[in-house]
Amino acid sequence: MVKKASRIAREARVACEKFREYFKYNIDQYHDMHEFVLGHQWEQEEEDMLVTNKKIPLTSNKLATLSNYLVGEQQQNTPQIQVVPMANATAEIAQLRELIVKDIMFSTDATTTYQVAASQAFIGGFGAFLIDTDYTHSTSFDQDIVYRFFKDATRCYWDVGAETINKTDGMVGGYLSRMTRPKFRQVYGKDIERQIFGDNEIVASKEEVALATDPSRSENAFNWADDNSICILHHYIRKFEKDTLYKLSNGNVVNQEEMDEIIDYSIRHVESYGTLPDMEDIDMMTAEANMSESGSMLGEDAEDVPGEMIEESNISDSKTEPEMVTLYDMQSGQVLRIEEKRDIKKSKIVHYKIAGDYILDEAEFAGEQIPVIFVDQNSYYDKDGRQMCRSFFADCRDTQRYINYLRTQSAYILKISRYDQFIASKKNVQGLDTQRIWKDPQAVQGALIYDESPNGNKPEQLRPPELSQSLMSQYELAMQDLYTSTGLYPTQMGAQGNEISGAAIDARSRQGSYATETPKNSINRAIAVGGQIVNEMIPRVYDAERAITLMTPEEGLKNFTINKQTDEYGAQIENDIRKGTFQVRLKPGPSYQGQKQQALESLQQVLQANPQTFALVADLYAENLPLANNIELKNRLKTLVPPEIIEAGKSGKTMPQNNKPNPEEQAAAMEAQFKQKELQLKEQELDLKKQKILIDAQLAIQKLETEKMEEAGKIEEQKMRYLAETQRTEADQSIAHANNMMKILTHKI
């Protein structure tokens, strides 16, 4: 429901303008570095000067390739996530929670989001991405957790007082998006569109900017609307509310909402079974309650939080105090005691979608952190406490410009050296035809003609200017500066080096990757924070029974039904992922793909030393192959490995030997061995017969080939004899003819 809320809208605009002014230098550098690395690398004044001197400004962009290498390296080394159960969770639920978190964090959309955010941070110094919710499909009521990237990270803002690197702990945060006015009218109606910024030229007022920063320093306040589009502000604000933690006798720690569920279950349990608490339990619970109330922290911290940020406690909404009923464990049905209790302040995140002075939508976010995650490449703070973000390519910008200068100068020298130059007297080119030929150096002539001069001088050819060796030396130095300033050397990116052995190549690759650890850690740190937010959102987004499909390491894609109720009261829930406390963290060591590659190399070394051991590690070999889905291959190779070897690999202990077989079993085993040997002998005999048949067939074929060659020789001999006889006959006829002609001629004479 669209409603007007001038105060909230004004506070949101002030928070946005305040951060944009605080972050102005970084925002300018962000766009400047993106333009330089991915766009235009020449200043307009430099281009005009070069064109005036008839030089063409050339660009030999090396930084874009290095940026692509960094992004590709980040994609290949996405960190491995581990979900660790902290409390109130079984091993099965922890494994299921980890599968769900990984499925969300490494989906196609999430991978694309990491890639875009990493590229923004590497080039511009910082990046950002968003964790949001969306319906599974257009006709579904179920929601999924999704990752979204920003085309421009400067459209995001955060609380300037945020303490964590990724700024998710701030009081406010959000991002800006643009919607065209025709689309806005279709989505929210024409009346709302006319009421929002009817002026169309409205900007943040001086009073609003003054609340955020010094108005004299603000050059251009952000334009919140124009003739074509309206800026929509997605504003997240943190609000605090009271809550209570209870430590129970079974070791679990629950909040007030979970305690209310236990109370409801306990009341139903008493109504169903008529069970009453023991007096000793009542006395102990009352004593614990009195002791915990005396240590309440509410009065001490109430003044630290603004009054408008504190809402009514959930405790007052409870129908029954937990100390007044007998509590029963919802799983085991055993009596519980409250061992400790304390009041806390729990925060929640409220999401406002604002246009002008109107709230287009309002909803509580499913997590406890600001979902707009800041990706810091490598920043520092100046003496005024301002954060200064640094691009990975900040130190090599001048080197890239110098490379462009050298390329431009070299190209100019090559350009003017294309044409032959001559020194000639006026007498040599005094004829009109001669002048026409010599004035056009591009004309291709079989020969250059010239006019003879009285003194006999001829045109003299001048050698064209050669490309200076100093330019080549300077170019090599500039490239070396580029490598040293980035830490990215050609051998690290696949060029051939001096290393020969695999160990030397691996050592050089590891050494070369040290320079890129800082930018990779920046995006990995943001990925881990995103995993924590996803972990917080799961109980609220996946809050009902539903079927999901997850990728398991053992069985591939598998269907699960989560939050499945197995009794009429809802006390027994199968695959209940709403319960328990978990922590998401990065696993130490290389990424999952890197670990698979190392394991595969180790297995290959073992198999080279002893190929017969393949039947013992066939399943492990298939598991570490770089294939997208090798479940079928792994299952097939797993049949080669004896079951006792698989069990020994899991436990690390050899399987116990069975008792000695009885004589009948020994006899049966010996008979089986005898039959096996007999079969082997028969197979060998058949192989020998097969080989003999093949040899006889080859000999017969060779004999036929020999006879064929002999017959061909005889035929060739007959042909030669026939030709010789024919030639002799023709020769005799020629001689006889010649003799007859001689006689005739002699007779006539």
Side-chain angles (χ1 to χ4, degrees):
M1 181 66 181
V2 179
K3 63 179 181 179
K4 188 170 184 179
S6 302
R7 183 183 62 83
I8 296 177
R10 183 169 176 267
E11 290 176 353
R13 288 196 298 272
V14 168
C16 177
E17 290 284 358
K18 182 177 181 180
F19 182 83
R20 290 178 63 85
E21 179 61 26
Y22 166 80
F23 228 59
K24 184 177 184 304
Y25 172 81
N26 297 322
I27 292 174
D28 293 341
Q29 289 295 311
Y30 176 94
H31 292 295
D32 192 27
M33 288 302 301
H34 272 82
E35 175 67 21
F36 185 81
V37 175
L38 302 179
H40 200 60
Q41 294 186 342
W42 287 95
E43 300 290 344
Q44 189 61 44
E45 296 179 357
E46 296 174 337
E47 284 191 359
D48 296 341
M49 180 187 66
L50 292 173
V51 171
T52 302
N53 295 328
K54 300 186 181 302
K55 295 182 180 181
I56 301 176
L58 299 181
T59 301
S60 180
N61 193 347
K62 310 294 183 182
L63 303 185
T65 303
L66 298 181
S67 173
N68 293 336
Y69 172 80
L70 286 175
V71 175
E73 188 178 23
Q74 185 276 326
Q75 287 180 309
Q76 295 298 322
N77 292 277
T78 303
Q80 189 175 3
I81 297 298
Q82 185 178 26
V83 178
V84 182
M86 304 299 292
N88 305 345
T90 62
E92 292 77 11
I93 296 299
Q95 183 178 9
L96 181 59
R97 175 71 78 97
E98 183 170 331
L99 291 177
I100 296 175
V101 171
K102 287 184 177 181
D103 182 72
I104 298 171
M105 293 184 62
F106 299 111
S107 62
T108 303
D109 292 339
T111 303
T112 304
T113 298
Y114 301 150
Q115 176 184 350
V116 175
S119 177
Q120 292 171 347
F122 296 156
I123 298 175
F126 68 95
F129 62 90
L130 172 71
I131 300 179
D132 199 2
T133 58
D134 197 1
Y135 289 103
T136 305
H137 50 82
S138 59
T139 59
S140 174
F141 287 94
D142 294 331
Q143 288 193 331
D144 290 329
I145 301 173
V146 296
Y147 278 69
R148 305 189 191 279
F149 65 86
F150 298 105
K151 293 183 290 185
D152 183 0
T154 63
R155 309 288 283 188
C156 304
Y157 64 94
W158 294 270
D159 185 359
V160 296
E163 294 293 334
T164 60
I165 295 178
N166 301 105
K167 303 186 185 301
T168 58
D169 65 325
M171 293 296 297
V172 295
Y175 62 96
L176 306 171
S177 63
R178 284 277 179 180
M179 182 178 291
T180 62
R181 287 186 175 270
K183 183 177 180 180
F184 191 92
R185 287 192 293 268
Q186 292 291 330
V187 176
Y188 298 104
K190 296 181 180 180
D191 295 337
I192 300 299
E193 188 268 337
R194 281 195 296 265
Q195 293 175 15
I196 295 177
F197 299 143
D199 188 352
N200 288 346
E201 297 296 331
I202 237 177
V203 297
S205 65
K206 291 184 178 180
E207 290 78 10
E208 291 177 344
V209 177
L211 293 175
T213 184
D214 183 5
S216 62
R217 298 183 58 183
S218 297
E219 299 176 358
N220 295 311
F222 187 81
N223 192 356
W224 295 95
D226 54 33
D227 293 333
N228 301 318
S229 62
I230 293 177
C231 179
I232 297 179
L233 195 154
H234 298 260
H235 186 64
Y236 296 87
I237 184 169
R238 184 184 303 275
K239 295 184 178 181
F240 286 94
E241 60 184 7
K242 301 174 184 178
D243 199 358
T244 305
L245 285 182
Y246 298 90
K247 183 178 180 182
L248 304 179
S249 57
N250 61 356
N252 293 342
V253 177
V254 297
N255 59 14
Q256 186 62 51
E257 183 179 359
E258 294 169 332
M259 175 57 72
D260 292 340
E261 295 180 3
I262 296 176
I263 293 174
D264 292 339
Y265 170 78
S266 300
I267 294 175
R268 291 197 305 269
H269 184 83
V270 172
E271 292 175 351
S272 300
Y273 299 100
T275 304
L276 295 176
D278 297 333
M279 293 303 297
E280 182 180 359
D281 293 335
I282 295 178
D283 295 339
M284 186 173 294
M285 287 188 293
T286 305
E288 296 290 345
N290 294 334
M291 182 181 64
S292 60
E293 289 176 358
S294 63
S296 175
M297 299 171 58
L298 180 61
E300 299 175 2
D301 297 338
E303 296 180 357
D304 297 337
V305 183
E308 61 180 354
M309 306 298 288
I310 300 179
E311 298 184 355
E312 291 297 328
S313 172
N314 291 335
I315 301 176
S316 60
D317 297 334
S318 301
K319 296 180 180 179
T320 307
E321 294 294 332
E323 293 82 359
M324 303 302 295
V325 298
T326 303
L327 303 178
Y328 290 92
D329 189 357
M330 299 174 64
Q331 300 295 330
S332 63
Q334 297 179 354
V335 177
L336 297 177
R337 296 190 308 273
I338 300 176
E339 295 185 347
E340 194 172 351
K341 168 186 173 182
R342 70 184 180 95
D343 294 329
I344 62 172
K345 293 168 189 170
K346 184 178 67 174
S347 65
K348 66 177 182 179
I349 306 297
V350 180
H351 175 209
Y352 296 100
K353 186 183 293 187
I354 300 172
D357 286 340
Y358 288 83
I359 295 180
L360 306 177
D361 191 14
E362 177 183 355
E364 182 178 349
F365 180 66
E368 299 177 5
Q369 301 184 63
I370 300 295
V372 184
I373 300 175
F374 178 82
V375 182
D376 182 18
Q377 196 281 132
N378 188 15
S379 63
Y380 69 97
Y381 289 83
D382 63 7
K383 63 180 181 179
D384 297 327
R386 287 180 174 265
Q387 185 177 9
M388 313 298 287
C389 298
R390 297 188 75 254
S391 167
F392 181 82
F393 302 104
D395 297 330
C396 56
R397 179 172 179 173
D398 291 340
T399 302
Q400 175 62 59
R401 296 178 63 187
Y402 188 47
I403 291 174
N404 293 339
Y405 295 154
L406 294 173
R407 284 298 193 189
T408 300
Q409 183 64 21
S410 301
Y412 175 73
I413 294 176
L414 292 175
K415 176 184 175 182
I416 63 176
S417 66
R418 289 178 55 201
Y419 309 131
D420 295 335
Q421 300 291 327
F422 289 85
I423 295 179
S425 64
K426 292 183 178 181
K427 296 292 184 181
N428 292 136
V429 290
Q430 63 182 354
L432 296 178
D433 293 339
T434 307
Q435 290 180 8
R436 179 180 56 80
I437 293 174
W438 283 80
K439 284 183 177 180
D440 186 6
Q442 295 184 355
V444 179
Q445 304 288 333
L448 284 174
I449 61 175
Y450 65 94
D451 299 326
E452 296 183 358
S453 60
N455 56 6
N457 290 337
K458 301 178 181 180
E460 181 180 354
Q461 185 176 10
L462 297 177
R463 296 185 62 182
E466 297 181 356
L467 190 63
S468 174
Q469 291 296 324
S470 63
L471 289 177
M472 299 300 297
S473 299
Q474 290 298 317
Y475 178 76
E476 293 177 357
L477 290 175
M479 291 301 298
Q480 189 65 27
D481 289 342
L482 186 65
Y483 299 146
T484 55
S485 59
T486 59
L488 299 174
Y489 292 87
T491 54
Q492 184 182 351
M493 295 183 289
Q496 183 65 38
N498 299 326
E499 302 82 5
I500 300 177
S501 66
I505 296 175
D506 292 342
R508 171 58 66 87
S509 299
R510 288 194 299 271
Q511 183 179 2
S513 65
Y514 294 156
T516 59
E517 284 300 318
T518 297
K520 285 192 298 184
N521 287 338
S522 65
I523 184 65
N524 290 346
R525 183 170 53 243
I527 291 174
V529 172
Q532 296 172 6
I533 296 177
V534 169
N535 181 53
E536 295 173 357
M537 297 173 65
I538 284 177
R540 304 181 185 180
V541 177
Y542 299 90
D543 58 347
E545 179 178 342
R546 61 189 293 189
I548 57 176
T549 302
L550 302 174
M551 175 65 72
T552 62
E554 296 293 337
E555 305 177 49
L557 289 175
K558 184 178 178 181
N559 295 325
F560 293 89
T561 301
I562 59 175
N563 306 325
K564 184 177 181 181
Q565 182 176 334
T566 58
D567 67 332
E568 59 179 336
Y569 296 112
Q572 300 297 328
I573 305 294
E574 182 180 346
N575 293 334
D576 189 357
I577 62 171
R578 299 166 296 181
K579 304 298 181 182
T581 304
F582 302 86
Q583 182 181 13
V584 177
R585 63 186 183 186
L586 296 179
K587 249 188 177 180
S591 65
Y592 178 69
Q593 294 297 331
Q595 290 182 4
K596 290 182 61 176
Q597 182 64 29
Q598 291 181 1
L600 184 61
E601 293 175 356
S602 300
L603 288 171
Q604 290 173 347
Q605 293 177 1
V606 172
L607 294 176
Q608 288 178 358
N610 188 3
Q612 287 75 19
T613 59
F614 180 76
L616 303 179
V617 295
D619 57 334
L620 300 178
Y621 189 86
E623 184 177 358
N624 291 284
L625 287 174
L627 302 176
N629 188 354
N630 62 351
I631 300 298
E632 183 177 354
L633 176 61
K634 180 183 176 183
N635 291 337
R636 291 187 181 186
L637 293 179
K638 193 174 182 179
T639 59
L640 301 176
V641 185
E644 60 270 14
I645 298 298
I646 296 178
E647 293 298 327
K650 294 179 180 178
S651 61
K653 299 179 181 180
T654 57
M655 296 296 293
Q657 298 293 332
N658 295 327
N659 296 329
K660 293 183 178 180
N662 54 39
E664 294 179 357
E665 293 177 348
Q666 290 181 354
M670 292 178 64
E671 184 179 358
Q673 292 178 1
F674 177 77
K675 290 182 178 180
Q676 183 69 23
K677 290 182 179 180
E678 186 178 358
L679 290 174
Q680 292 178 355
L681 290 175
K682 288 183 179 180
E683 290 178 356
Q684 293 177 1
E685 184 179 355
L686 291 174
D687 290 339
L688 291 175
K689 289 181 179 180
K690 181 179 178 181
Q691 293 177 3
K692 185 176 181 303
I693 293 173
L694 291 175
I695 293 173
D696 293 342
Q698 291 177 355
L699 291 175
I701 293 173
Q702 292 178 359
K703 184 178 179 181
L704 290 175
E705 291 292 336
T706 303
E707 292 177 354
K708 182 179 178 182
M709 294 177 63
E710 290 177 355
E711 293 296 329
K714 291 178 181 180
I715 294 173
E716 190 67 25
E717 183 180 358
Q718 292 294 333
K719 287 182 179 180
M720 294 179 65
R721 287 181 180 180
Y722 173 77
L723 291 174
E725 187 66 25
T726 302
Q727 291 177 358
R728 186 182 66 77
T729 302
E730 291 177 352
D732 291 344
Q733 290 178 356
S734 299
I735 293 172
H737 180 70
N739 290 336
N740 292 333
M741 292 297 296
M742 182 63 71
K743 290 178 181 180
I744 294 172
L745 294 174
T746 304
H747 178 73
K748 288 183 178 182
I749 293 172

